[in-house]
Amino acid sequence: MKIVSKVLFTLVLCTALLPLNSWGQRKLASYQKYINHYSGLAIRHQQKYKIPASITLAQGILESGAGQSVLARKSNNHFGIKCHSDWKGGRVYHDDDKRGECFRKYKKVEDSYEDHSRFLAERSRYAELFKLKITDYKGWARGLQRCGYATDKAYANKLIKVIEDYQLYKYDTQGGRSKNAKTSVPAPIIKRTVYKTHGLIYVYAEDNDTFQSIAEATGMKAKQLIKYNEVPAGFPLQKGDIVYLQKKKKKADKPHYTHVVQIGESMHTIAQQYGIRIENLYKMNKQDPDYIPQEGDVLKLR
């Protein structure tokens, strides 16, 4: 399912751009248009099939080139799903891993979304993903690559980047409304253990944590924590995430000279791991904000 992977990079070069987002990357207008058009459909499929809406949208964007690939425009196939032996519907042929491979053809886009959801929900190879929390988009992204949905070694990292750059995670909770708006009852203040590594102080996020709850527990302001950790407002925390209580460094401490990228890592997670600023991590590796780390890449840390 890599037939449209090249479209992603083509669109980066030729599609109109929106202003810089909170992470410093430029947003593609075509991506935002796709999200606006199909987010409701992705949410409905999350409710029906328990697949995170963020994952569905990110896969749709990557696999269809935000709806602009030939496969998407002429065959309504937004997820790059091939025919397989059990497929009885329409067919179309494109070059992918091999020449003239058979891909599924649909009457309308909604049929492609339905088939994609059933493709994941009804195959045992993806069963382990449905044990994850609906908000664990990183786990889903890693699992899709591990289970063989795509042959691209950077597939999980690409999904995570799209989800985080376009804040698709917000669609995984309450139909797109902010998780913090779920209830007026304040979360209990949990006493925090403060750690110090790389000369920086930080805490670990707990289940259902937010930057607001951590701010209240540490006597800080949520805006400060969001700035220190280089995330947009509303960014979801998962248990075990590092939350810095002060500004990160320009480079990693010795002896951390390099990092080998693993499945499901982003420039942000790597920067958090070593307590360095994302901007500096890009600069040290002579990469622009559109760079997506691939499994096995070696990144400089200082």
Side-chain angles (χ1 to χ4, degrees), residues 195-211:
Y195 300 89
K196 187 174 184 178
T197 306
H198 312 301
L200 299 171
I201 56 174
Y202 62 93
V203 298
Y204 287 112
E206 302 289 344
D207 274 329
N208 302 314
D209 248 341
T210 64
F211 283 99

Side-chain angles (χ1 to χ4, degrees), residues 21 23 27 31 35 52-59 61-62 135-138 140-141 144 156-172 232 235-236:
N21 65 10
W23 297 68
K27 288 188 174 182
Y31 281 27
I35 293 163
S54 62
I55 287 291
T56 299
L57 284 170
Q59 284 196 281
I61 288 170
L62 291 180
T135 54
D136 188 4
Y137 62 87
K138 293 179 183 177
W140 269 83
L144 284 168
N157 299 13
K158 287 179 180 179
L159 290 175
I160 291 170
K161 182 172 175 60
V162 170
I163 290 170
E164 293 183 342
D165 282 359
Y166 293 85
Q167 300 178 39
L168 301 184
Y169 45 72
K170 66 184 180 181
Y171 297 110
D172 297 338
F235 184 81

Side-chain angles (χ1 to χ4, degrees), residues 11-172:
L11 285 173
V12 169
L13 297 175
C14 66
T15 306
L17 299 172
L18 295 177
L20 290 171
N21 65 10
S22 302
W23 297 68
Q25 289 87 355
R26 291 188 180 278
K27 288 188 174 182
L28 292 171
S30 59
Y31 281 27
Q32 196 60 59
K33 182 178 179 180
Y34 188 95
I35 293 163
N36 293 341
H37 192 83
Y38 293 110
S39 58
L41 182 59
I43 290 168
R44 292 195 294 276
H45 277 258
Q46 174 178 298
Q47 295 168 344
K48 182 177 180 180
Y49 291 102
K50 309 306 178 187
I51 300 167
S54 62
I55 287 291
T56 299
L57 284 170
Q59 284 196 281
I61 288 170
L62 291 180
E63 296 288 349
S64 75
Q68 298 304 306
S69 72
V70 174
L71 189 62
R73 288 186 286 107
K74 294 189 175 181
S75 306
N76 291 316
N77 187 332
H78 278 226
F79 297 94
I81 300 179
K82 297 178 182 178
C83 295
H84 302 101
S85 60
D86 60 344
W87 177 244
K88 306 299 181 184
R91 296 163 179 257
V92 65
Y93 297 88
H94 290 278
D95 294 342
D96 191 30
D97 294 316
K98 300 177 182 178
R99 291 180 60 84
E101 290 195 88
C102 181
F103 287 84
R104 302 183 183 193
K105 183 177 181 179
Y106 306 97
K107 292 182 179 179
K108 54 185 184 294
V109 175
E110 289 78 4
D111 293 339
S112 178
Y113 269 70
E114 178 71 19
D115 191 42
H116 167 261
S117 293
R118 294 186 62 181
F119 185 84
L120 297 181
E122 296 176 0
R123 280 170 167 73
S124 58
R125 66 193 291 188
Y126 301 112
E128 65 182 74
L129 302 183
F130 291 87
K131 299 176 183 177
L132 300 173
K133 289 185 177 181
I134 201 69
T135 54
D136 188 4
Y137 62 87
K138 293 179 183 177
W140 269 83
R142 289 191 294 267
L144 284 168
Q145 181 172 331
R146 187 172 58 249
C147 294
Y149 188 93
T151 56
D152 186 350
K153 291 180 66 176
Y155 192 68
N157 299 13
K158 287 179 180 179
L159 290 175
I160 291 170
K161 182 172 175 60
V162 170
I163 290 170
E164 293 183 342
D165 282 359
Y166 293 85
Q167 300 178 39
L168 301 184
Y169 45 72
K170 66 184 180 181
Y171 297 110
D172 297 338

Side-chain angles (χ1 to χ4, degrees), residues 271-285:
Q272 288 292 99
Q273 181 178 340
Y274 296 99
I276 55 181
R277 300 169 205 165
I278 298 175
E279 180 182 5
N280 292 91
L281 185 59
Y282 279 114
K283 286 182 178 179
M284 282 187 285
N285 290 279

Side-chain angles (χ1 to χ4, degrees), residues 123-273:
R123 280 170 167 73
S124 58
R125 66 193 291 188
Y126 301 112
E128 65 182 74
L129 302 183
F130 291 87
K131 299 176 183 177
L132 300 173
K133 289 185 177 181
I134 201 69
T135 54
D136 188 4
Y137 62 87
K138 293 179 183 177
W140 269 83
R142 289 191 294 267
L144 284 168
Q145 181 172 331
R146 187 172 58 249
C147 294
Y149 188 93
T151 56
D152 186 350
K153 291 180 66 176
Y155 192 68
N157 299 13
K158 287 179 180 179
L159 290 175
I160 291 170
K161 182 172 175 60
V162 170
I163 290 170
E164 293 183 342
D165 282 359
Y166 293 85
Q167 300 178 39
L168 301 184
Y169 45 72
K170 66 184 180 181
Y171 297 110
D172 297 338
T173 55
Q174 297 152 74
R177 295 193 302 275
S178 170
K179 184 178 180 181
N180 296 335
K182 181 178 181 180
T183 175
S184 59
V185 179
I189 298 177
I190 303 172
K191 186 177 180 180
R192 307 289 169 159
T193 299
V194 178
Y195 300 89
K196 187 174 184 178
T197 306
H198 312 301
L200 299 171
I201 56 174
Y202 62 93
V203 298
Y204 287 112
E206 302 289 344
D207 274 329
N208 302 314
D209 248 341
T210 64
F211 283 99
Q212 183 61 44
S213 64
I214 293 176
E216 292 173 359
T218 57
M220 301 182 69
K221 294 182 178 180
K223 286 185 178 180
Q224 273 185 312
L225 297 180
I226 287 170
K227 184 177 181 179
Y228 291 155
N229 291 276
E230 302 181 282
V231 294
F235 184 81
L237 290 170
Q238 296 179 349
K239 185 176 181 179
D241 282 352
I242 294 173
V243 178
Y244 288 102
L245 307 184
Q246 63 184 110
K247 191 173 183 178
K248 294 184 288 182
K249 297 183 175 183
K250 292 183 178 181
K251 59 183 179 181
D253 286 346
K254 296 178 181 179
H256 303 293
Y257 292 94
T258 59
H259 175 83
V260 180
V261 178
Q262 305 298 312
I263 294 176
E265 288 187 328
S266 65
M267 293 296 273
H268 178 256
T269 58
I270 295 167
Q272 288 292 99
Q273 181 178 340

